[in-house]
Amino acid sequence: MSETDVVGRVRIREARPEDDGIIGELLVEAYVTQYAQKLPEVVYTEERKRTLRDVASKRAVATVLVAEVDGEVVGTVALFPPGAPDSEAWTPNTADLRHLATAVRYHGQGLSRPLMDAVEALARQWGVDAVALHVRRGAQGVARMYQRRGYVRTPEGDLDMPTVFLEAYLLRLKG
């Protein structure tokens, strides 16, 4: 199936409680598969998988969007508003983009584009100054995708955590 076939059939909507299980499993599958192929040294602990699967907690503080193809949830992304609990944004009036993932069988078919278009449109509706996100150090392909969309590497927002180093990127929407 070509990229245009899939993208032309995508419907983006806000996640509902009944989507939580599907989204959680999609996140775990996409992250584990993606990083296993590209960064084999990355290990996803059971604790990390539990966090990814806890979609209800994300929906309580963020807007979680899903991509559907033929009625099936095949992608997701979350946008945390400025000041939301668990936000990793480091500048004022900035939304935090997290957990972009697509079903493994759709990788490379352009499915992230409509999700990113929708989440960036939502950020503009909110009137924020920027959208922040983090990429695991070493995930150059993921970083390039964001850079092609206008996100700029912003080292002052980097997160050096005990198990991972996350590189910061920022998309300015104003000024």
Side-chain angles (χ1 to χ4, degrees):
M1 185 177 309
S2 76
E3 183 174 307
T4 54
D5 291 341
V6 171
V7 173
R9 297 187 354 245
V10 173
R11 177 176 165 250
I12 307 294
R13 64 169 174 80
E14 193 164 337
R16 300 183 290 255
E18 59 268 25
D19 300 319
D20 290 355
I22 296 164
I23 295 168
E25 292 311 311
L26 187 149
L27 284 166
V28 169
E29 178 193 31
Y31 280 44
V32 168
T33 301
Q34 176 184 19
Y35 287 124
Q37 290 175 351
K38 297 174 184 166
L39 299 168
E41 71 280 7
V42 174
V43 175
Y44 270 88
T45 64
E46 289 307 310
E47 173 64 25
R48 177 66 174 138
K49 290 176 185 177
R50 268 192 297 282
T51 301
L52 288 170
R53 288 180 175 122
D54 188 7
V55 178
S57 292
K58 278 189 274 283
R59 281 189 308 93
V61 296
T63 299
V64 178
L65 300 178
V66 295
E68 288 182 330
V69 173
D70 301 329
E72 178 188 2
V73 173
V74 295
T76 188
V77 66
L79 192 66
F80 291 72
D86 297 326
S87 173
E88 295 175 349
W90 61 93
T91 59
N93 198 32
T94 298
D96 180 23
L97 189 151
R98 309 263 295 275
H99 300 137
L100 174 66
T102 60
V104 172
R105 72 181 183 283
Y106 286 100
H107 282 187
Q109 295 186 42
L111 193 55
S112 64
R113 191 173 314 119
L115 281 163
M116 290 296 295
D117 290 346
V119 84
E120 290 166 4
L122 178 60
R124 286 182 176 89
Q125 287 174 8
W126 288 354
V128 298
D129 296 335
V131 177
L133 59 87
H134 289 91
V135 175
R136 181 182 290 272
R137 177 178 277 164
Q140 287 101 354
V142 174
R144 280 193 301 275
M145 178 199 66
Y146 290 122
Q147 289 172 317
R148 283 192 300 270
R149 294 190 67 87
Y151 289 79
V152 175
R153 178 79 175 90
T154 315
E156 62 267 24
D158 288 354
L159 294 174
D160 189 359
M161 302 165 81
T163 59
V164 65
F165 189 93
L166 299 175
E167 296 178 338
Y169 291 82
L170 197 65
L171 176 68
R172 294 232 174 258
L173 301 177
K174 296 180 179 177

